[in-house]
Amino acid sequence: MEIQNQFEDVCRAMMDEGFYPHAVTSLTRIDTHISAVFLTGSTVYKLKKPLDFGFLDFRKLDTRRYVCEREVLLNQRLTHGVYRGVAAIRRDESGHYSTSGSGMPVEYAVVMQQLPEEDCLRSLLDRSRVGRAFMEQLGTCLAGFYERSARSPEIDHYGDPQVIEFNMEENFEQVAPFVGRLVEREKWDFIRQVSRAFFTNWKELFLNRVRIGRIRDGHGDLRVEHVYFHDGLQIIDCIEFNDRFRYGDVASDLAFLHMDLERMGFEELSRALVAAYVGCANDPGLYGLLDFYAAYRAIVKLKVICLGFGGLSGDDARVNAGKEVARYLEQAYRYAIRFSRPTLWIFCGLPASGKSRHAARTSEALMIPVFQSDVVRKQHMPTDQIVPYGQGIYRSESRNRVYAQLLALAQEQLKQGHSAVLDATFSDRKWREEASRLAADLDTNCIFVECTADEDTVRRRLKKREDSSGGSDARLQHLPDMLAHFQPLDEIPPENHFVLRTERGDSEAFGELLEKAYALKCVQVDGII
């Protein structure tokens, strides 16, 4: 109690403009659950409250000093000129508090530049002052930050599926007392069920993130109110009091901001941010975990509100908290539907249009199986001869058998809750309709990626095959017939159809594919809710 009384004495002194060694244009105190923050117009002073919450213990002065120093050091990773240092607050013999007088230190404060509120990302979004270029700059900045961030066996531990699953189950247990009162039971039960199933189906995806070095010392609290476009880009207020809250997959760190932006209604801007990060960091696998971690982040926010509900006073505060819980629950529910529904990816188009290359890259990035018509055909009808179009193994009957086998392989995966990639020309409308029907019958997402290139590019690629022995038997001599028999994909709805032009560099085209495919999946999920 004595510590708390002294802390409040310091806070009262800091509400006097004469306390500060500089001019004060305004003076405001803002309290969070762990800090008391004083805004002076030009400079911010942040004290750590002498409290014990279990996950942090600030009761000792030396601990509060250490954590202040950590806050300055860690936040300098994503800012420049903002975090100025730590000030000791002293009490002299007369009981006067200051940052420059005599006496022993009784508190420590993080000293920061006060950033203009109008430069905060939240404010910019509210005023429609943010475009795609802003978000691409932010995504690129974060890619560089994660690349520079610390990695170690200790940090990698927080990417272990068992650790992630433990944290997830801990959230479920802590929210359980509120289910049926604050939290709608049906949606909550669905979120728990599919989250647990996700670990069963995608354990290898989590393990691969560790192997490829995506577990890092991140920010830990990446929200719109912590991002400023002021003198460049400034990202403040990372978690400093508990290292394990910062350690984890960069997908989890980025998912917090993604979730925050979507909650505010800025889905397209968030996708631009994610796409810029993925392209700069060469991290396409992030898309495989983004919705899972966004749901996890929404549940954490929901949990915090629930745990604080009992301490609220007044009906209005309780009603508002209940509405916030419902909003975060709805958001987590949408993400859960997205990551729980398998996707049938169909890469189609003329031979040499780039479909096999991008089908393989998608399979590798998202760790889902790919089934190719050329492989299936030669398993059942092996031949080393290049035959004329429509003859031999390319007769109509033979092709029908190949497509039937492809769809059977996809069906087996989808029934188990797994996604699948099909790689074939799908030049006949009837085969595309069969694939669409399969996806509809199994209630899965279905995305047709129509790969195209100008005729000169296709001819050039086919010409290169003359002296090679690749999987496909299509050659330049077949092109006129293939063009004549390819039926346009005009029966495919826009929400299931993405045209990918492949004349550009692979990385650019692949990045566009993943961004647009993610958007298409979101549209398909929204259509069933």
Side-chain angles (χ1 to χ4, degrees):
M1 193 66 182
E2 181 180 347
I3 297 175
Q4 189 62 42
N5 289 338
Q6 179 174 272
F7 180 82
E8 287 303 323
D9 285 344
V10 172
C11 289
R12 280 190 288 273
M14 295 181 72
M15 285 303 294
D16 182 345
E17 293 183 6
F19 171 87
Y20 298 95
H22 54 76
V24 175
T25 57
S26 63
L27 187 55
T28 305
R29 174 178 174 174
I30 299 174
D31 283 275
T32 70
H33 63 296
I34 65 172
S35 300
V37 183
F38 297 86
L39 311 178
T40 70
S42 62
T43 308
V44 177
Y45 295 80
K46 184 191 293 187
L47 306 180
K48 306 298 180 185
K49 294 180 178 179
L51 299 173
D52 179 8
F53 286 112
F55 60 87
L56 60 82
D57 185 353
F58 290 168
R59 289 174 295 177
K60 293 182 179 180
L61 179 62
D62 282 348
T63 301
R64 298 198 292 279
R65 174 188 56 79
Y66 171 76
V67 174
C68 285
E69 291 170 349
R70 288 286 287 167
E71 178 170 353
V72 171
L73 181 64
L74 289 167
N75 278 289
Q76 286 174 340
R77 298 177 301 169
L78 277 166
T79 61
H80 49 275
V82 174
Y83 285 81
R84 298 172 178 170
V86 177
I89 300 172
R90 303 175 185 273
R91 183 179 184 273
D92 63 20
E93 293 180 355
S94 66
H96 178 258
Y97 294 98
S98 72
T99 59
S100 57
S102 60
M104 295 293 292
V106 294
E107 282 300 337
Y108 292 90
V110 173
V111 183
M112 303 168 55
Q113 176 189 358
Q114 185 171 331
L115 298 172
E117 195 58 32
E118 61 266 24
D119 292 342
C120 177
L121 179 56
R122 175 181 289 278
S123 176
L124 292 167
L125 288 166
D126 287 341
R127 292 180 287 130
S128 301
R129 298 288 300 275
V130 178
R132 187 178 179 93
F134 275 83
M135 305 313 289
E136 290 175 343
Q137 179 187 352
L138 179 55
T140 300
C141 171
L142 289 169
F145 165 64
Y146 294 129
E147 179 65 26
R148 298 187 302 271
S149 294
R151 182 193 176 195
S152 68
E154 178 192 0
I155 294 172
D156 279 349
H157 170 71
Y158 291 91
D160 187 295
Q162 290 184 332
V163 174
I164 300 167
E165 188 173 18
F166 175 85
N167 292 336
M168 180 188 74
E169 292 293 343
E170 184 178 59
N171 286 334
F172 292 159
E173 290 175 12
Q174 291 171 338
V175 174
F178 303 94
V179 176
R181 296 191 295 124
L182 278 178
V183 180
E184 182 186 333
R185 183 174 300 278
E186 184 177 353
K187 289 182 178 178
W188 180 251
D189 288 345
F190 176 80
I191 293 168
R192 288 193 309 161
Q193 176 187 347
V194 300
S195 296
R196 289 165 175 164
F198 193 81
F199 277 95
T200 301
N201 292 335
W202 296 99
K203 183 177 181 180
E204 188 59 29
L205 188 57
F206 289 102
L207 293 172
N208 189 58
R209 300 293 289 175
V210 180
R211 285 194 293 267
I212 65 176
R214 299 301 181 182
I215 315 304
R216 298 285 174 146
D217 182 352
H219 184 280
D221 197 21
L222 202 55
R223 294 182 276 149
V224 291
E225 56 262 40
H226 293 163
V227 179
Y228 286 78
F229 289 92
H230 177 82
D231 187 23
L233 189 58
Q234 314 272 11
I235 304 177
I236 64 172
D237 280 353
C238 78
I239 291 181
E240 82 289 344
F241 54 82
N242 193 322
D243 288 346
R244 77 180 184 93
F245 291 173
R246 291 192 320 277
Y247 295 165
D249 196 321
V250 299
S252 177
D253 212 43
L254 196 60
F256 202 159
L257 185 54
H258 171 68
M259 182 271 295
D260 217 17
L261 286 163
E262 290 208 327
R263 182 179 59 87
M264 295 178 65
F266 296 100
E267 291 88 351
E268 290 188 11
L269 290 177
S270 183
R271 290 167 196 160
L273 160 74
V274 172
Y277 161 78
V278 168
C280 187
N282 189 25
D283 186 14
L286 176 133
Y287 281 106
L289 286 167
L290 183 60
D291 287 328
F292 171 82
Y293 278 123
Y296 174 87
R297 291 294 194 174
I299 290 169
V300 170
K301 295 292 289 184
L302 177 153
K303 177 184 75 173
V304 170
I305 299 170
C306 287
L307 294 176
F309 189 80
L312 297 176
S313 58
D315 291 340
D316 288 346
R318 288 173 175 264
V319 168
N320 289 335
K323 290 179 179 178
E324 279 293 283
V325 167
R327 280 193 285 267
Y328 281 115
L329 178 65
E330 181 65 23
Q331 197 169 5
Y333 178 65
R334 285 177 177 270
Y335 290 129
I337 292 178
R338 289 185 197 175
F339 70 70
S340 66
R341 293 186 86 217
T343 297
L344 178 59
W345 297 76
I346 299 170
F347 284 78
C348 57
L350 293 170
S353 63
K355 66 181 184 306
S356 294
R357 185 166 63 254
H358 289 292
R361 293 190 70 175
T362 301
S363 168
E364 180 182 3
L366 303 181
M367 301 193 72
I368 54 181
V370 58
F371 303 107
Q372 298 175 301
S373 59
D374 291 318
V375 174
V376 169
R377 181 179 296 110
K378 292 192 174 183
Q379 284 175 343
H380 297 278
M381 295 167 279
T383 180
D384 294 327
Q385 296 180 336
I386 304 298
V387 298
Y389 184 85
Q391 297 183 24
I393 63 173
Y394 291 95
R395 295 194 314 272
S396 178
E397 299 82 355
S398 300
R399 296 170 79 193
N400 285 337
R401 285 196 295 271
V402 168
Y403 279 94
Q405 180 64 19
L406 280 176
L407 294 177
L409 291 168
Q411 182 181 40
E412 183 179 349
Q413 291 293 316
L414 296 173
K415 279 186 173 180
Q416 297 176 36
H418 301 159
S419 297
V421 175
L422 298 185
D423 168 19
T425 59
F426 278 92
S427 57
D428 283 12
R429 184 174 291 109
K430 63 178 180 180
W431 299 325
R432 301 193 295 261
E433 290 173 345
E434 286 295 325
S436 297
R437 190 175 300 112
L438 172 64
D441 289 346
L442 296 177
D443 191 28
T444 66
N445 298 317
C446 183
I447 298 177
F448 284 85
V449 182
E450 182 183 1
C451 296
T452 67
D454 61 69
E455 190 171 331
D456 286 344
T457 300
V458 171
R459 287 181 176 278
R460 185 172 63 253
R461 291 172 179 171
L462 288 172
K463 182 66 175 174
K464 287 183 179 179
R465 294 183 181 180
E466 300 295 335
D467 300 321
S468 65
S469 56
S472 175
D473 292 329
R475 294 295 186 267
L476 186 57
Q477 70 193 55
H478 301 134
L479 184 57
D481 286 318
M482 292 187 294
L483 286 168
H485 288 88
F486 192 95
Q487 298 175 342
L489 277 72
D490 48 20
E491 84 285 359
I492 305 298
E495 63 269 21
N496 297 79
H497 183 200
F498 171 57
V499 178
L500 179 66
R501 299 211 54 96
T502 65
E503 299 96 335
R504 300 163 296 168
D506 272 4
S507 295
E508 182 182 356
F510 188 57
E512 182 184 3
L513 162 64
L514 292 179
E515 180 186 0
K516 297 298 184 183
Y518 181 75
L520 289 180
K521 287 199 292 181
C522 294
V523 168
Q524 291 178 37
V525 167
D526 289 345
I528 66 171
I529 295 179

